[in-house]
Amino acid sequence: MVVAEGRPGVSAQRPAGLAAGDAGRSGVLLLLVAALAATCVLSVAAGTRTIALGTVWDAFAHFAGTEEHVIVRELRVPRTLLGLLAGAALGVSGAVLQAVTRNPLADTQILGMNAGAALFVVFAIGVLGLTGIWSYVWFAFAGVAFATVLVYALGSIGRGGATPLRLTLAGVALGAVMSGASAGIRLVKPRAFDYLRFWDVGTLAGRPAQIAVAVAPFVVLGLGLALAAARSLNAVALGDDLARTLGAGVVRTRVLSVLSVTLLTGAATAAVGPIGFVGLMVPHAVRRIVGPDQRWILAYTMICAPILLLGADIAGRMLIRPAELQAGIVTAFLGAPVLIWLIRRRAVSGR
């Protein structure tokens, strides 16, 4: 008998997931790592111009400065690295949010955190004239922290405190306001955003390798904090009172979680723009495979989320060739039906 997640003291049978036992989960995880490696290869080879795998290999082993070699090394490799970093960051931040808030609809996009980071980055570029990633990445972190505090404050108004429904509504409303403010700044200062023309819809394209190098330390640190909190998240996901009974450090876990989400969301948004729904879709899919254990959920999400984001980017390159569809648009098309399905579920709607 397992205690139902998010309802302390209520017992109910919980499925352990499709992958039974640690050995089964480890085996599936290895298969997913192989799938991620294949997706990375496809990301480098496929696109508006398909490049043979032999040519891709030669671009690294025998670089000759040809057009295809330059495309591989200077355009597609940085794009793939950003997909790995941003995918892992957005997916894990969503999984942590869902656990620590006990809200199945939690996602950095839905709770307004992406919009907060984007607004502060737009302010830094358009108003303060900052253009380097090392300058405006700090504004992205501040934007995530600002949105987090404001959403929690708004969601706590009234009797009953910050319920999942109130947090979701507050996040959606605040995200809309901040997105409108960002659009206003871009309209007033259009020239400042010429080199970030597609950044505001979320894209992996046109970002130099320096962007990946700049955000990688923050993503690695954020992932480390999330993994450090994973065991305690299992208890916190059951409710604060029960978590304390089980000996979990509730305050420590929440602090680690907030720091992790701030670093991951801020770094990803500064690098590729406000891409949404990755952190919503992947943890739900992963939970059906591994069950409710947050340690396995985070490990699987760290692999599956980059697969989703890189897959969306590849699909965007292939669907309307020779033009491209930004990855953020593709994930929105995929994520919107998932969100509707989750809202309609009896457990989520609260009926």
Side-chain angles (χ1 to χ4, degrees):
M1 190 72 70
V2 182
V3 178
E5 182 178 355
R7 299 181 61 187
V10 179
S11 297
Q13 290 291 344
R14 290 288 306 277
L18 300 178
D22 288 349
R25 296 187 183 102
S26 298
V28 175
L29 186 63
L30 289 176
L31 292 177
L32 290 173
V33 171
L36 177 59
T39 305
C40 290
V41 173
L42 185 60
S43 176
V44 174
T48 55
R49 179 174 179 177
T50 302
I51 299 176
L53 293 181
T55 305
V56 172
W57 172 257
D58 288 338
F60 296 99
H62 310 288
F63 182 71
T66 64
E67 184 180 1
E68 289 184 330
H69 286 188
V70 171
I71 290 174
V72 168
R73 294 184 58 158
E74 297 187 10
L75 296 179
R76 293 191 179 171
V77 168
R79 190 171 187 162
T80 302
L81 290 175
L82 273 178
L84 289 171
L85 292 169
L90 294 171
V92 170
S93 61
V96 171
L97 281 174
Q98 290 172 18
V100 78
T101 64
R102 301 190 296 279
N103 182 0
L105 297 179
D107 173 62
T108 55
Q109 180 83 359
I110 295 172
L111 295 184
M113 296 174 182
N114 284 2
L119 173 60
F120 276 54
V121 169
V122 167
F123 176 83
I125 295 173
V127 178
L128 302 182
L130 304 178
T131 56
I133 181 69
W134 282 109
S135 301
Y136 61 72
V137 68
W138 306 105
F139 284 83
F141 297 142
V144 175
F146 171 78
T148 301
V149 172
L150 198 53
V151 167
Y152 187 81
L154 292 175
S156 301
I157 296 175
R159 299 177 60 183
T163 64
L165 178 59
R166 287 178 178 174
L167 289 175
T168 300
L169 294 175
V172 172
L174 185 62
V177 171
M178 291 189 293
S179 295
S182 299
I185 297 175
R186 288 195 299 270
L187 289 174
V188 174
K189 300 279 189 177
R191 292 187 178 180
F193 298 95
D194 281 347
Y195 81 109
L196 289 178
R197 287 170 53 202
F198 299 109
W199 174 87
D200 58 328
V201 296
T203 183
L204 305 181
R207 316 298 284 150
Q210 292 89 334
I211 300 292
V213 172
V215 301
F218 301 111
V219 173
V220 171
L221 179 58
L223 293 176
L225 292 174
L227 292 175
R231 183 182 294 273
S232 298
L233 281 174
N234 282 328
V236 171
L238 302 175
D240 291 355
D241 293 337
L242 184 55
R244 293 189 182 94
T245 302
L246 296 174
V250 175
V251 175
R252 172 183 174 274
T253 302
R254 292 191 183 281
V255 169
L256 287 177
S257 299
V258 170
L259 288 175
S260 172
V261 170
T262 299
L263 288 171
L264 294 174
T265 307
T269 304
V272 301
I275 295 178
F277 296 110
V278 174
L280 176 70
M281 293 185 286
V282 175
H284 279 285
V286 162
R287 202 171 286 113
R288 289 177 171 269
I289 300 174
V290 301
D293 192 332
Q294 296 298 326
R295 294 170 296 179
W296 285 106
I297 289 173
L298 294 182
Y300 268 63
T301 299
M302 207 177 298
I303 303 301
C304 293
I307 293 177
L308 173 63
L309 184 54
L310 286 173
D313 185 51
I314 294 168
R317 290 184 244 170
M318 305 293 288
L319 287 174
I320 56 173
R321 290 194 294 183
E324 291 189 14
L325 199 62
Q326 281 67 48
I329 297 175
V330 178
T331 59
F333 272 113
L334 295 174
V338 174
L339 177 59
I340 293 170
W341 173 71
L342 289 172
I343 292 174
R344 288 180 60 84
R345 286 179 60 192
R346 183 180 183 88
V348 175
S349 64
R351 291 191 303 242

Coordinates of all heavy atoms in Angstrom, one line a residue, residues 124-199:
A124 N 17.0 44.1 -20.4 CA 18.4 44.2 -20.4 C 19.0 44.6 -21.8 O 19.8 45.4 -21.9 CB 19.1 42.9 -19.9
I125 N 18.4 44.0 -22.8 CA 18.8 44.2 -24.2 C 18.3 45.5 -24.7 O 19.0 46.4 -25.3 CB 18.4 43.0 -25.1 CG1 19.1 41.8 -24.7 CG2 18.8 43.4 -26.6 CD1 18.7 40.5 -25.4
G126 N 17.0 45.7 -24.6 CA 16.3 46.8 -25.2 C 16.5 48.1 -24.5 O 16.6 49.2 -25.2
V127 N 16.5 48.1 -23.2 CA 16.6 49.4 -22.4 C 18.1 49.6 -22.0 O 18.5 50.8 -22.1 CB 15.7 49.3 -21.2 CG1 15.8 50.6 -20.3 CG2 14.3 49.1 -21.6
L128 N 18.8 48.6 -21.5 CA 20.1 48.8 -21.0 C 21.2 48.6 -22.0 O 22.3 49.0 -21.8 CB 20.4 47.9 -19.8 CG 19.4 48.0 -18.6 CD1 19.8 47.1 -17.5 CD2 19.4 49.4 -18.1
G129 N 20.8 48.1 -23.2 CA 21.8 47.9 -24.3 C 22.7 46.8 -24.1 O 23.8 46.8 -24.8
L130 N 22.5 45.8 -23.3 CA 23.3 44.7 -23.1 C 23.1 43.7 -24.2 O 22.0 43.4 -24.5 CB 23.1 44.0 -21.7 CG 23.2 45.0 -20.5 CD1 22.9 44.2 -19.2 CD2 24.6 45.6 -20.4
T131 N 24.2 43.1 -24.7 CA 24.0 42.2 -25.8 C 24.8 40.9 -25.6 O 24.5 39.9 -26.3 CB 24.5 42.8 -27.2 OG1 25.9 43.2 -27.0 CG2 23.7 44.0 -27.6
G132 N 25.7 40.8 -24.7 CA 26.4 39.6 -24.5 C 25.7 38.7 -23.5 O 25.0 39.1 -22.5
I133 N 25.8 37.4 -23.7 CA 25.1 36.4 -22.9 C 25.5 36.5 -21.5 O 24.8 36.3 -20.5 CB 25.3 34.9 -23.4 CG1 24.6 33.9 -22.6 CG2 26.8 34.6 -23.5 CD1 23.2 33.9 -22.7
W134 N 26.8 36.8 -21.2 CA 27.3 36.9 -19.9 C 26.7 38.1 -19.1 O 26.8 38.2 -17.9 CB 28.9 37.0 -19.8 CG 29.5 35.7 -20.0 CD1 30.2 35.3 -21.2 CD2 29.6 34.6 -19.1 NE1 30.7 34.0 -21.0 CE2 30.3 33.6 -19.7 CE3 29.1 34.4 -17.8 CZ2 30.5 32.4 -19.1 CZ3 29.3 33.2 -17.2 CH2 30.0 32.2 -17.9
S135 N 26.2 39.1 -19.9 CA 25.6 40.2 -19.3 C 24.1 40.0 -19.0 O 23.7 40.2 -17.8 CB 25.7 41.4 -20.3 OG 27.0 41.8 -20.6
Y136 N 23.3 39.4 -19.9 CA 21.9 39.3 -19.7 C 21.5 38.0 -19.1 O 20.3 37.9 -18.7 CB 21.1 39.6 -20.9 CG 21.3 38.7 -22.1 CD1 20.8 37.4 -22.1 CD2 21.9 39.2 -23.3 CE1 21.0 36.6 -23.2 CE2 22.1 38.4 -24.4 CZ 21.6 37.1 -24.4 OH 21.8 36.3 -25.5
V137 N 22.4 37.0 -18.9 CA 21.9 35.8 -18.3 C 21.6 36.0 -16.8 O 20.7 35.4 -16.3 CB 23.0 34.7 -18.4 CG1 24.3 35.1 -17.5 CG2 22.5 33.4 -18.0
W138 N 22.2 37.0 -16.2 CA 21.9 37.3 -14.8 C 20.5 37.9 -14.7 O 19.8 37.7 -13.7 CB 23.0 38.3 -14.2 CG 24.3 37.7 -14.4 CD1 25.3 38.2 -15.3 CD2 24.9 36.7 -13.6 NE1 26.4 37.4 -15.1 CE2 26.3 36.5 -14.1 CE3 24.5 35.8 -12.6 CZ2 27.1 35.5 -13.7 CZ3 25.4 34.9 -12.1 CH2 26.6 34.7 -12.6
F139 N 20.1 38.7 -15.7 CA 18.8 39.2 -15.7 C 17.7 38.1 -15.8 O 16.6 38.2 -15.3 CB 18.6 40.3 -16.8 CG 19.3 41.6 -16.5 CD1 20.6 41.8 -16.7 CD2 18.5 42.6 -16.0 CE1 21.2 43.0 -16.4 CE2 19.1 43.8 -15.7 CZ 20.5 44.0 -15.9
A140 N 18.1 37.1 -16.6 CA 17.2 35.9 -16.7 C 17.0 35.2 -15.4 O 15.8 34.9 -15.0 CB 17.8 34.9 -17.7
F141 N 18.0 35.1 -14.6 CA 17.8 34.5 -13.3 C 17.0 35.4 -12.4 O 16.1 34.9 -11.7 CB 19.2 34.3 -12.6 CG 20.1 33.3 -13.3 CD1 21.5 33.6 -13.4 CD2 19.6 32.2 -13.9 CE1 22.3 32.7 -14.1 CE2 20.5 31.3 -14.6 CZ 21.8 31.6 -14.7
A142 N 17.2 36.7 -12.5 CA 16.4 37.6 -11.7 C 14.9 37.6 -12.1 O 14.0 37.6 -11.3 CB 16.9 39.0 -11.8
G143 N 14.7 37.4 -13.4 CA 13.3 37.3 -13.9 C 12.6 36.1 -13.4 O 11.4 36.2 -13.1
V144 N 13.3 35.0 -13.4 CA 12.7 33.7 -12.9 C 12.3 33.9 -11.4 O 11.2 33.5 -10.9 CB 13.6 32.5 -13.1 CG1 13.0 31.3 -12.4 CG2 13.9 32.3 -14.5
A145 N 13.3 34.4 -10.6 CA 13.0 34.6 -9.2 C 11.9 35.6 -8.9 O 11.0 35.3 -8.1 CB 14.3 35.2 -8.5
F146 N 11.8 36.7 -9.7 CA 10.7 37.6 -9.6 C 9.4 37.0 -9.9 O 8.4 37.2 -9.1 CB 11.0 38.8 -10.6 CG 9.9 39.8 -10.7 CD1 9.6 40.7 -9.7 CD2 9.0 39.7 -11.8 CE1 8.6 41.6 -9.8 CE2 8.0 40.6 -11.9 CZ 7.7 41.6 -10.9
A147 N 9.3 36.2 -11.0 CA 8.0 35.6 -11.4 C 7.6 34.6 -10.3 O 6.4 34.4 -10.0 CB 8.2 34.9 -12.7
T148 N 8.6 33.8 -9.8 CA 8.3 32.8 -8.8 C 7.7 33.4 -7.6 O 6.6 32.9 -7.1 CB 9.6 32.0 -8.4 OG1 10.1 31.4 -9.6 CG2 9.3 30.9 -7.4
V149 N 8.3 34.4 -7.0 CA 7.8 35.1 -5.8 C 6.4 35.7 -6.1 O 5.5 35.5 -5.3 CB 8.8 36.2 -5.4 CG1 8.2 37.0 -4.2 CG2 10.1 35.6 -4.9
L150 N 6.2 36.3 -7.2 CA 5.0 37.0 -7.5 C 3.8 36.0 -7.7 O 2.7 36.2 -7.2 CB 5.1 37.9 -8.7 CG 4.1 39.0 -8.9 CD1 3.9 39.8 -7.7 CD2 4.4 39.9 -10.1
V151 N 4.1 34.9 -8.5 CA 3.1 33.9 -8.7 C 2.7 33.3 -7.4 O 1.5 33.0 -7.1 CB 3.6 32.8 -9.7 CG1 2.7 31.6 -9.6 CG2 3.7 33.4 -11.1
Y152 N 3.7 33.0 -6.5 CA 3.3 32.3 -5.2 C 2.5 33.3 -4.3 O 1.6 32.9 -3.7 CB 4.6 31.9 -4.5 CG 4.3 31.1 -3.2 CD1 4.0 29.8 -3.3 CD2 4.3 31.7 -2.0 CE1 3.7 29.0 -2.1 CE2 4.0 31.0 -0.8 CZ 3.7 29.7 -0.9 OH 3.4 28.9 0.2
A153 N 2.9 34.6 -4.4 CA 2.1 35.6 -3.6 C 0.7 35.7 -4.1 O -0.2 35.7 -3.3 CB 2.9 36.9 -3.7
L154 N 0.5 35.8 -5.4 CA -0.8 35.9 -6.0 C -1.6 34.6 -5.7 O -2.8 34.7 -5.4 CB -0.7 36.2 -7.5 CG -0.2 37.6 -7.9 CD1 -0.1 37.7 -9.4 CD2 -1.1 38.7 -7.4
G155 N -1.0 33.5 -5.8 CA -1.7 32.2 -5.6 C -2.0 31.9 -4.2 O -2.8 31.0 -3.9
S156 N -1.4 32.7 -3.2 CA -1.7 32.5 -1.8 C -2.8 33.4 -1.3 O -3.2 33.2 -0.1 CB -0.4 32.8 -1.0 OG 0.7 31.9 -1.4
I157 N -3.3 34.3 -2.1 CA -4.3 35.2 -1.6 C -5.6 34.4 -1.4 O -6.0 33.6 -2.2 CB -4.6 36.3 -2.7 CG1 -3.3 37.2 -2.8 CG2 -5.8 37.1 -2.2 CD1 -3.4 38.2 -3.9
G158 N -6.3 34.6 -0.3 CA -7.5 34.0 0.0 C -7.4 32.8 0.9 O -6.3 32.4 1.3
R159 N -8.5 32.2 1.3 CA -8.5 31.0 2.2 C -7.9 29.8 1.5 O -8.2 29.6 0.3 CB -9.9 30.8 2.7 CG -10.5 31.9 3.5 CD -11.9 31.6 4.0 NE -12.0 30.4 4.8 CZ -13.1 29.9 5.3 NH1 -14.2 30.5 5.0 NH2 -13.1 28.8 6.0
G160 N -7.2 29.0 2.2 CA -6.7 27.8 1.7 C -5.3 27.9 1.2 O -4.7 26.8 0.8
G161 N -4.7 29.1 1.1 CA -3.3 29.2 0.7 C -3.1 29.0 -0.8 O -4.0 29.0 -1.6
A162 N -1.9 28.6 -1.1 CA -1.4 28.5 -2.5 C -1.8 27.1 -3.0 O -1.0 26.1 -2.9 CB 0.1 28.7 -2.7
T163 N -3.0 26.9 -3.5 CA -3.4 25.6 -4.1 C -2.9 25.5 -5.5 O -2.5 26.5 -6.1 CB -4.9 25.5 -4.1 OG1 -5.5 26.5 -5.0 CG2 -5.5 25.7 -2.7
P164 N -2.8 24.2 -6.0 CA -2.3 24.1 -7.4 C -3.1 24.9 -8.4 O -2.5 25.4 -9.3 CB -2.5 22.6 -7.6 CG -2.3 22.0 -6.3 CD -2.9 22.9 -5.3
L165 N -4.5 24.9 -8.3 CA -5.3 25.7 -9.2 C -5.0 27.1 -9.1 O -4.8 27.8 -10.2 CB -6.8 25.4 -8.9 CG -7.8 26.2 -9.8 CD1 -7.5 25.8 -11.3 CD2 -9.2 25.9 -9.4
R166 N -4.8 27.7 -7.9 CA -4.5 29.1 -7.8 C -3.2 29.5 -8.4 O -3.0 30.5 -9.0 CB -4.6 29.5 -6.3 CG -6.0 29.6 -5.8 CD -6.0 30.0 -4.3 NE -7.4 30.1 -3.8 CZ -7.6 30.3 -2.5 NH1 -6.7 30.4 -1.6 NH2 -8.9 30.4 -2.1
L167 N -2.2 28.6 -8.1 CA -0.9 28.9 -8.7 C -0.9 28.8 -10.2 O -0.2 29.7 -10.9 CB 0.1 27.8 -8.2 CG 0.5 27.9 -6.7 CD1 1.4 26.8 -6.3 CD2 1.3 29.3 -6.4
T168 N -1.6 27.9 -10.8 CA -1.7 27.8 -12.2 C -2.4 29.0 -12.8 O -1.9 29.6 -13.8 CB -2.5 26.6 -12.6 OG1 -1.9 25.4 -12.1 CG2 -2.6 26.4 -14.1
L169 N -3.5 29.5 -12.2 CA -4.2 30.7 -12.7 C -3.3 31.9 -12.6 O -3.3 32.8 -13.5 CB -5.5 30.8 -12.0 CG -6.6 29.8 -12.2 CD1 -7.8 30.0 -11.3 CD2 -7.0 29.7 -13.7
A170 N -2.7 32.0 -11.4 CA -1.8 33.2 -11.2 C -0.6 33.2 -12.2 O -0.2 34.2 -12.8 CB -1.2 33.2 -9.8
G171 N -0.1 32.0 -12.5 CA 1.0 31.9 -13.4 C 0.6 32.2 -14.8 O 1.3 33.0 -15.6
V172 N -0.5 31.8 -15.3 CA -1.0 32.1 -16.6 C -1.3 33.5 -16.8 O -0.9 34.2 -17.8 CB -2.3 31.2 -16.9 CG1 -2.9 31.7 -18.2 CG2 -2.0 29.7 -17.0
A173 N -1.9 34.1 -15.8 CA -2.3 35.6 -15.8 C -1.0 36.4 -15.8 O -0.8 37.3 -16.6 CB -3.2 36.0 -14.7
L174 N -0.1 36.1 -14.9 CA 1.1 36.9 -14.8 C 2.0 36.7 -16.0 O 2.6 37.7 -16.5 CB 1.9 36.5 -13.5 CG 3.2 37.3 -13.2 CD1 2.8 38.7 -13.0 CD2 3.9 36.7 -12.0
G175 N 2.0 35.5 -16.6 CA 2.8 35.2 -17.8 C 2.3 36.0 -19.0 O 3.1 36.6 -19.8
A176 N 1.0 36.2 -19.1 CA 0.4 37.0 -20.1 C 0.8 38.4 -20.0 O 1.1 39.1 -21.0 CB -1.1 36.8 -20.1
V177 N 0.7 38.9 -18.8 CA 1.1 40.4 -18.6 C 2.5 40.6 -18.9 O 2.9 41.6 -19.6 CB 0.8 40.8 -17.1 CG1 1.4 42.1 -16.8 CG2 -0.7 40.7 -16.8
M178 N 3.4 39.7 -18.5 CA 4.9 39.9 -18.7 C 5.2 39.7 -20.2 O 6.1 40.4 -20.7 CB 5.7 39.0 -17.8 CG 5.6 39.4 -16.4 SD 6.8 38.5 -15.3 CE 6.1 36.8 -15.4
S179 N 4.5 38.8 -20.9 CA 4.7 38.6 -22.3 C 4.3 39.8 -23.1 O 5.0 40.3 -24.0 CB 3.9 37.4 -22.8 OG 4.4 36.2 -22.2
G180 N 3.2 40.5 -22.6 CA 2.8 41.7 -23.3 C 3.8 42.8 -23.0 O 4.0 43.6 -24.0
A181 N 4.3 42.9 -21.8 CA 5.3 43.9 -21.6 C 6.6 43.7 -22.4 O 7.2 44.7 -22.9 CB 5.7 43.9 -20.1
S182 N 7.0 42.4 -22.6 CA 8.1 42.1 -23.4 C 7.9 42.6 -24.9 O 8.8 43.2 -25.5 CB 8.4 40.6 -23.4 OG 8.8 40.2 -22.1
A183 N 6.7 42.3 -25.4 CA 6.3 42.7 -26.7 C 6.4 44.2 -26.9 O 6.8 44.7 -27.9 CB 5.0 42.1 -27.1
G184 N 5.9 44.9 -25.9 CA 5.9 46.3 -25.9 C 7.3 46.9 -26.0 O 7.6 47.8 -26.8
I185 N 8.3 46.3 -25.3 CA 9.6 46.8 -25.3 C 10.3 46.5 -26.7 O 11.0 47.3 -27.3 CB 10.5 46.1 -24.2 CG1 10.0 46.6 -22.8 CG2 12.0 46.5 -24.4 CD1 10.7 45.9 -21.7
R186 N 9.9 45.3 -27.2 CA 10.5 45.0 -28.6 C 10.0 45.9 -29.7 O 10.7 46.2 -30.6 CB 10.2 43.5 -28.9 CG 11.0 42.5 -28.1 CD 10.9 41.1 -28.7 NE 9.5 40.6 -28.7 CZ 9.0 40.0 -27.7 NH1 9.6 39.7 -26.6 NH2 7.7 39.6 -27.8
L187 N 8.7 46.3 -29.5 CA 8.1 47.2 -30.5 C 8.8 48.6 -30.4 O 9.0 49.3 -31.5 CB 6.6 47.3 -30.3 CG 5.8 46.1 -30.7 CD1 4.3 46.3 -30.3 CD2 5.9 45.8 -32.2
V188 N 9.1 49.0 -29.2 CA 9.7 50.4 -29.1 C 11.1 50.4 -29.5 O 11.7 51.3 -30.0 CB 9.5 50.8 -27.6 CG1 10.3 52.1 -27.3 CG2 8.1 51.0 -27.2
K189 N 11.8 49.2 -29.3 CA 13.3 49.1 -29.6 C 13.5 48.0 -30.6 O 14.2 47.0 -30.3 CB 14.0 48.8 -28.3 CG 13.9 49.9 -27.2 CD 14.8 51.1 -27.5 CE 14.8 52.0 -26.3 NZ 15.7 53.1 -26.4
P190 N 13.0 48.1 -31.8 CA 13.1 46.9 -32.7 C 14.5 46.6 -33.1 O 14.9 45.5 -33.3 CB 12.2 47.4 -33.9 CG 12.2 48.9 -33.8 CD 12.2 49.2 -32.4
R191 N 15.3 47.7 -33.3 CA 16.7 47.4 -33.8 C 17.6 46.7 -32.8 O 18.5 46.0 -33.1 CB 17.4 48.8 -34.1 CG 16.8 49.5 -35.3 CD 17.6 50.7 -35.7 NE 17.1 51.4 -36.8 CZ 17.6 52.5 -37.4 NH1 18.7 53.0 -36.8 NH2 17.0 53.0 -38.5
A192 N 17.2 46.8 -31.5 CA 18.0 46.1 -30.5 C 17.8 44.6 -30.5 O 18.7 43.9 -30.0 CB 17.6 46.6 -29.1
F193 N 16.8 44.2 -31.2 CA 16.5 42.8 -31.2 C 16.6 42.1 -32.6 O 16.2 41.0 -32.9 CB 15.0 42.5 -30.7 CG 14.9 43.0 -29.3 CD1 14.3 44.2 -29.0 CD2 15.2 42.2 -28.3 CE1 14.2 44.7 -27.7 CE2 15.0 42.6 -27.0 CZ 14.5 43.8 -26.7
D194 N 17.3 42.8 -33.5 CA 17.5 42.3 -34.8 C 18.2 40.9 -34.8 O 17.9 40.0 -35.6 CB 18.3 43.3 -35.7 CG 17.4 44.4 -36.2 OD1 16.2 44.3 -36.1 OD2 18.0 45.4 -36.7
Y195 N 19.2 40.8 -33.9 CA 20.0 39.6 -33.9 C 19.3 38.5 -33.0 O 19.8 37.4 -32.9 CB 21.4 39.8 -33.4 CG 21.5 39.9 -31.9 CD1 22.1 38.9 -31.1 CD2 21.0 41.0 -31.2 CE1 22.3 39.0 -29.7 CE2 21.1 41.1 -29.8 CZ 21.8 40.1 -29.1 OH 21.9 40.2 -27.7
L196 N 18.2 38.9 -32.4 CA 17.4 37.9 -31.7 C 16.0 37.8 -32.2 O 15.0 37.7 -31.5 CB 17.3 38.3 -30.2 CG 18.6 38.2 -29.4 CD1 18.4 38.7 -28.0 CD2 19.1 36.7 -29.3
R197 N 15.9 37.8 -33.6 CA 14.6 38.0 -34.2 C 13.6 36.8 -33.8 O 12.4 37.0 -33.7 CB 14.7 38.0 -35.7 CG 15.3 39.3 -36.2 CD 15.6 39.3 -37.7 NE 14.5 38.8 -38.5 CZ 14.7 38.2 -39.7 NH1 15.9 38.0 -40.2 NH2 13.6 37.8 -40.3
F198 N 14.1 35.6 -33.7 CA 13.3 34.5 -33.4 C 13.4 34.0 -32.0 O 12.8 33.0 -31.6 CB 13.6 33.3 -34.4 CG 13.4 33.7 -35.8 CD1 14.5 33.8 -36.7 CD2 12.1 33.9 -36.3 CE1 14.3 34.2 -38.0 CE2 11.9 34.2 -37.7 CZ 13.0 34.4 -38.5
W199 N 14.3 34.7 -31.2 CA 14.5 34.2 -29.8 C 13.2 34.2 -29.0 O 13.0 33.3 -28.2 CB 15.6 35.1 -29.2 CG 15.8 34.9 -27.8 CD1 16.7 34.0 -27.2 CD2 15.1 35.5 -26.7 NE1 16.6 34.1 -25.9 CE2 15.7 35.0 -25.5 CE3 14.2 36.5 -26.6 CZ2 15.3 35.4 -24.2 CZ3 13.7 36.9 -25.3 CH2 14.3 36.4 -24.2

